[in-house]
Amino acid sequence: MLCLGIESTAHTFGVGIVDDKGNILANEKSTYRPASGWGIIPVDAANHHKKSGSKVIENALEIAGISIKDIDIVSFSQGPGLAPCLKVGMEYARYLANKSRRIIGVNHCIAHIEIGRLLTESKDPVIVYVSGANTQILSFSSGRYRCFGETMDIGLGNALDKFGRNVGLGFPPGPKIEKLAKNGNWVDLPYVVKGMDLSFSGIVTECIRKYNAGYKLEDICFSMQEVFFSMLVEVTERALAHLGKKEVLLTGGVAANTRLQEMLGIMCKERGAEFNTVPIEYAGDNGAMIAWTGILHYKSNKNAPCNENDIDIQPRQRTDMVEIGWIK
Ligand code: AMP
Ligand code: MG
């Protein structure tokens, strides 16, 4: 059985093709790049997806060596995300399903978790999900991925990107900040953890203020990473301790950061917990994670009726709103 999954929540139009054993046959994408100095303009990103969608689908089918007739299920990212972008993904999914294939709306955050579980040894982890728009500490309990801590304002990736945009680093600034940080020294910054929740935006404001006051860019990049990642490690360790779990899974676009991997790795080692990171190719938004989560939904509820409400976009759908039928 084959599922074609479409990702289109924000900057990336991705198409993945995955079989029911979890073999990834294709994972193609095209990424919208905002004009320098701007963040994502939703309508422009949606236009990018509209224009590039057919070609990405074609490429994915070609790489998998199949035609659309071989596809059994079509899944798409239904949320959370930017409504104009989500709509393009859903329209492509409806077109490909062509009223003859099962069509499944997938939660984007859950897809980031499931691709991590598929491609690592992770079984029952505390999940550190850090992407552009989302930052959550999650774990499975009683039928759902429950959220034990999260950002109170912007996501970690967006915090890094926002600083990067303001100091002219282009898009996406995350990897550039990581590189600059390697040659930086400590400067004092605020540290904001409230209970299990995190706040990044005020720290970004202070970083921009320090840059404008003449502090060295490398020093700000280093210190900003140290503070953001320490905040994450603190709440992750507390989640591990309270839940009594013995594994951490790092996933989402910011999982590509080697300093974050190192810091979480040290904490896990000290606690005797296992640490896994999603492979870098599948850290950022991608279609394979949507296809695999489509397969999981299908397998756990084969006879679900094709409900029109299930195949609509859900721009504000939270991770903990979705029932997880495939974990017992
Ligand atoms: P996603 O929304 O999951 O596709 O993740 C995209 C986010 O990951 C963007 O905010 C990027 O800046 C961020 N990102 C990608 N690579 C790195 C990196 N090496 N270090 C920090 N952030 C990164
Ligand atoms: Mg994402």
Side-chain angles (χ1 to χ4, degrees):
M1 190 184 38
L2 291 176
C3 179
L4 183 149
I6 299 177
E7 160 55 32
S8 74
T9 51
H11 43 74
T12 296
F13 189 92
V15 176
I17 299 171
V18 177
D19 72 14
D20 53 346
K21 309 270 177 324
N23 297 305
I24 298 170
L25 279 63
N27 186 40
E28 291 298 294
K29 61 175 81 165
S30 170
T31 301
Y32 154 79
R33 290 180 185 277
S36 123
W38 293 89
I40 295 172
I41 299 169
V43 172
D44 288 355
N47 281 334
H48 162 272
H49 298 347
K50 246 181 238 168
K51 281 194 199 121
S52 59
S54 303
K55 189 75 197 143
V56 182
I57 293 165
E58 228 173 79
N59 289 348
L61 289 168
E62 194 182 323
I63 284 171
I66 56 168
S67 87
I68 187 68
K69 292 196 190 78
D70 301 311
I71 296 290
D72 304 289
I73 310 166
V74 177
S75 61
F76 69 99
S77 243
Q78 69 178 169
L82 303 169
C85 299
L86 291 170
K87 217 161 160 267
V88 176
M90 181 185 67
E91 278 159 10
Y92 268 111
R94 281 180 187 262
Y95 172 74
L96 292 177
N98 193 23
K99 296 201 166 77
S100 60
R101 291 178 187 88
R102 173 90 179 266
I103 177 168
I104 298 175
V106 164
N107 178 281
H108 173 89
C109 314
I110 289 171
H112 272 292
I113 299 171
E114 292 302 343
I115 197 74
R117 290 207 317 129
L118 174 69
L119 299 175
T120 68
E121 301 288 296
S122 217
K123 289 179 192 70
D124 182 20
V126 166
I127 300 134
V128 181
Y129 165 44
V130 279
S131 66
N134 302 287
T135 297
Q136 292 183 323
I137 311 297
L138 304 142
S139 203
F140 181 80
S141 176
S142 307
R144 293 188 190 204
Y145 284 112
R146 311 279 169 181
C147 185
F148 293 92
E150 62 189 315
T151 179
M152 294 184 288
D153 41 59
I154 54 179
L156 175 55
N158 281 357
L160 294 165
D161 294 347
K162 192 173 171 193
F163 172 75
R165 270 202 307 280
N166 275 276
V167 301
L169 288 184
F171 186 87
K176 293 179 186 162
I177 291 170
E178 179 177 9
K179 216 164 157 203
L180 287 163
K182 290 191 196 307
N183 298 314
N185 293 302
W186 176 252
V187 294
D188 278 349
L189 288 176
Y191 179 101
V192 192
V193 173
K194 308 239 175 190
M196 286 293 284
D197 291 331
L198 314 157
S199 166
F200 299 108
S201 68
I203 305 174
V204 173
T205 303
E206 176 59 11
C207 289
I208 296 169
R209 195 194 67 75
K210 280 203 156 63
Y211 177 77
N212 290 335
Y215 283 74
K216 264 179 74 185
L217 184 56
E218 288 86 346
D219 292 351
I220 303 172
C221 290
F222 169 77
S223 308
M224 182 172 61
Q225 281 202 166
E226 293 302 300
V227 165
F228 285 172
F229 300 166
S230 300
M231 289 159 49
L232 263 179
V233 171
E234 180 193 326
V235 293
T236 306
E237 182 166 22
R238 201 149 48 238
L240 273 176
H242 283 267
L243 292 166
K245 298 213 177 182
K246 284 281 170 205
E247 292 172 52
V248 169
L249 171 64
L250 176 62
T251 194
V254 188
N257 189 291
T258 52
R259 179 61 181 146
L260 176 58
Q261 292 172 19
E262 182 183 34
M263 288 170 73
L264 280 167
I266 292 168
M267 180 274 286
C268 285
K269 198 164 172 214
E270 284 176 355
R271 296 192 63 84
E274 201 180 302
F275 176 60
N276 284 293
T277 305
V278 69
I280 187 159
E281 188 189 345
Y282 301 97
D285 293 349
N286 65 85
M289 68 184 195
I290 305 302
W292 174 236
T293 310
I295 295 258
L296 291 172
H297 273 289
Y298 176 76
K299 287 208 281 195
S300 67
N301 198 357
K302 285 198 174 100
N303 301 319
C306 241
N307 183 340
E308 278 290 308
N309 288 332
D310 292 339
I311 48 174
D312 203 354
I313 63 168
Q314 304 282 348
R316 292 177 192 278
Q317 187 184 61
R318 283 178 58 84
T319 320
D320 48 15
M321 286 162 71
V322 179
E323 305 244 2
I324 306 297
W326 53 88
I327 302 179
K328 296 296 165 227

